[in-house]
Amino acid sequence: MSRHTPSMSVMVAAARKAARGLQRDFGEVENLQVSLKGPANFVTAADKKAEKVLFEELSKARPGYSFLMEEGGVVEGSDKSHRWIIDPLDGTTNFLHGIPMFAISIALERDGQLVAGLVYNPISDEMFIAEKGQGAFLNDRRIRVAVRRDLAQAVVATGIPHIGRPGHARFSAELGTVMNEVAGVRRMGSAALDLAYVAAGRFDAYWEAALAPWDMAAGIVLIREAGGFVADLKGGDAMLDSGGIVAGNDVLYRKLGDLLKKAHKQA
Ligand code: IPD
Ligand code: CA
Ligand code: CA
């Protein structure tokens, strides 16, 4: 069983409330697939609605905390030492296409340090939570990163830059190198869930470039508390600032990081 601090209880309650709206709206999206106009506007509204619920619930429970949110941007609170980092819907493309692989992601930062993370998939009802020093949990069961040390046996997740995003050539070079060394590469469409899956030992490792802080903040706490490691794509600690991240156990995050550096030299 996990021992929560009151802050985690607040995060869980807010996520569950926002999730109820997303569950309803996802059901609606599945119906809208057949209409020509498609569900795009509807999904934007669902996204904003979920963020509003999270903002209201967290503000009510912790007045004064600051926010960094995908939709609403920065909201400075009177309490400068605490900040929520939120993606109300990570995996928008999946949601839009009726693919049940998306999540709410909430992280709490205290004095510039990530201290708590929650990633919740409302469709599978999988709640991944972690607090600094307390371990990582999936629906109250302790989770740990996988123990495989050999890239040739590793299933590695990533994110592919889509239309209008930078980094296509660089990603092709990365994939070209990585796919020759690993058992399989997966692109699930939610960075938050990719990191949660690494924390749970489902994926052995993960990398992606050009992410935003709200895509990875919660997942980073999960990985660390599950005994794993994260770095930016240069092997440093600037994941949130650089947007690049590589994650895995102590051996694989390094091996994958080295492979990526090799790929970048060739690109
Ligand atoms: C996206 C997802 C995706 C990643 C993209 C993100 P969104 O977030 O995390 O897996 O590859 O870079 O922008 O737009 O669905 O919140
Ligand atoms: Ca996102
Ligand atoms: Ca989002």
Side-chain angles (χ1 to χ4, degrees), residues 47 70-71 87-92 214-215:
D47 198 345
E70 178 168 23
E71 306 301 327
D87 191 340
L89 172 53
D90 186 63
T92 323
W214 46 79
D215 297 319

Side-chain angles (χ1 to χ4, degrees), residues 34 58 104 130 150 191 250 263:
V34 291
L58 295 172
I104 292 169
D150 198 350
D250 55 340

